Amino acid sequence: EIVMTQSPATLSVSPGERATLSCRASQSFGSTLAWYQQKAGQGPRLLIHGTSTRATGTPARFSGSGSGTEFTLTISSLQSEDFAVYYCQQYDNWPWTFGQGTKVEIK
Amino acid sequence: EVQLVESGGGLVQPGRSLRLSCAASGFTFDDYAMHWVRQAPGKGLEWVSSISWNSGTIKYADSVKGRFTISRDNAKNSLYLQMNSLRDEDTAFYYCGKDSGHSLIASTHPDYWGQGTLVTVSS
């Protein structure tokens, strides 16, 4: 099983600032990594798939990068609607696994 | 617009059974693989099970293998999760998800999730 570890657990950012979220895998795999956003009381929303491809409707301020075991989600200029919990997920190997999440909160 | 609406959650005693349903609309249901993930209150996401478009390929997490059964009825645009021998640790919100493809291959991924239904296992 591939273990996904996200850091930091909580990120305090001011609106308009840049946020960088990290996701590390316990073993290397291809580009089969996704990022999801989840707000309180809602299901996850796909933001990024294939490490760097924005899903339909994902604003351009969200970008994904990385390879091997290190992946990053960058939000270039945080908007009020971006404060949420973010999860990475690998879909390269079964069982699919998620990171434990990074909460992006208002500083 | 893709819509996934889960139902069937509730309070159930340990050892009992529950069947979750997911009603899908806004896309051609039998063209896509489907998934269940869960989330214990205040915790992260855990993949539970996946099924290909024609039910030919099915996957389960080890934590539910032998107790849960995923199925689908393409004529009814519905996905199901039969949960038997429920345990306290199965308490969670259960989310239904649509895949980007029809087979469970590495290049496809979930692209939409529902709002979830809460299952509480407690005596």
Side-chain angles (χ1 to χ4, degrees), chain A residues 1 32 34 36 38 41-46 49-50 56 87 89 91-92 94-100, chain B residues 35 37 39 43-47 50 59 61 95 99 104-115:
Chain A
E1 173 176 321
T32 48
Y36 299 91
Q38 188 178 33
Q42 298 183 15
R45 172 197 169 195
L46 177 68
H49 63 89
T56 303
Y87 294 94
Q89 181 226 341
Y91 50 98
D92 189 82
W94 300 97
W96 286 354
T97 47
F98 292 85
Q100 78 278 22
Chain B
H35 313 282
V37 298
Q39 185 173 38
K43 302 297 184 183
L45 297 165
E46 178 190 14
W47 169 75
S50 299
K59 304 284 188 182
Y95 298 99
D99 199 79
L104 299 177
I105 59 175
S107 62
T108 68
H109 55 86
D111 55 6
Y112 292 93
W113 297 98
Q115 295 296 299

Side-chain angles (χ1 to χ4, degrees), chain A residues 23-106:
Chain A
C23 176
R24 175 175 292 178
S26 61
Q27 63 190 74
S28 180
F29 58 88
S31 62
T32 48
L33 182 107
W35 289 94
Y36 299 91
Q37 177 191 70
Q38 188 178 33
K39 297 181 179 180
Q42 298 183 15
R45 172 197 169 195
L46 177 68
L47 294 176
I48 301 281
H49 63 89
T51 297
S52 59
T53 302
R54 280 187 293 273
T56 303
T58 301
R61 62 181 180 272
F62 290 89
S63 63
S65 62
S67 64
T69 61
E70 301 283 343
F71 300 88
T72 301
L73 176 69
T74 302
I75 312 171
S76 60
S77 176
L78 270 154
Q79 306 299 303
S80 58
E81 60 268 29
D82 301 335
F83 292 97
V85 181
Y86 293 83
Y87 294 94
C88 63
Q89 181 226 341
Q90 66 81 19
Y91 50 98
D92 189 82
N93 282 344
W94 300 97
W96 286 354
T97 47
F98 292 85
Q100 78 278 22
T102 290
K103 181 180 180 180
V104 177
E105 64 176 25
I106 300 175

Side-chain angles (χ1 to χ4, degrees), chain B residues 20-22 35-37 47-49 70 79-81 95-96:
Chain B
L20 304 184
S21 299
C22 171
H35 313 282
W36 289 99
V37 298
W47 169 75
V48 173
S49 184
I70 191 172
L79 177 72
Y80 306 101
L81 187 67
Y95 298 99
C96 158

Side-chain angles (χ1 to χ4, degrees), chain B:
Chain B
E1 179 192 5
V2 171
Q3 289 201 354
L4 300 166
V5 180
E6 302 91 340
S7 61
L11 175 63
V12 61
Q13 293 180 326
R16 304 298 290 264
S17 299
L18 207 59
R19 188 196 198 205
L20 304 184
S21 299
C22 171
S25 62
F27 64 101
T28 304
F29 183 72
D30 57 9
D31 275 351
Y32 295 95
M34 297 292 293
H35 313 282
W36 289 99
V37 298
R38 67 184 180 183
Q39 185 173 38
K43 302 297 184 183
L45 297 165
E46 178 190 14
W47 169 75
V48 173
S49 184
S50 299
I51 186 168
S52 64
W53 68 283
N54 63 352
S55 306
T57 302
I58 288 175
K59 304 284 188 182
Y60 295 103
D62 284 346
S63 58
V64 307
K65 198 173 294 183
R67 300 187 300 123
F68 289 12
T69 301
I70 191 172
S71 63
R72 63 190 295 160
D73 185 335
N74 288 344
K76 295 183 177 180
N77 290 347
S78 293
L79 177 72
Y80 306 101
L81 187 67
Q82 177 67 43
M83 304 186 295
N84 299 333
S85 303
L86 281 161
R87 305 168 179 167
D88 290 352
E89 55 265 33
D90 295 320
T91 294
F93 288 92
Y94 285 74
Y95 298 99
C96 158
K98 169 192 169 292
D99 199 79
S100 62
H102 61 271
S103 298
L104 299 177
I105 59 175
S107 62
T108 68
H109 55 86
D111 55 6
Y112 292 93
W113 297 98
Q115 295 296 299
T117 186
L118 177 61
V119 172
T120 303
V121 184
S122 175
S123 54

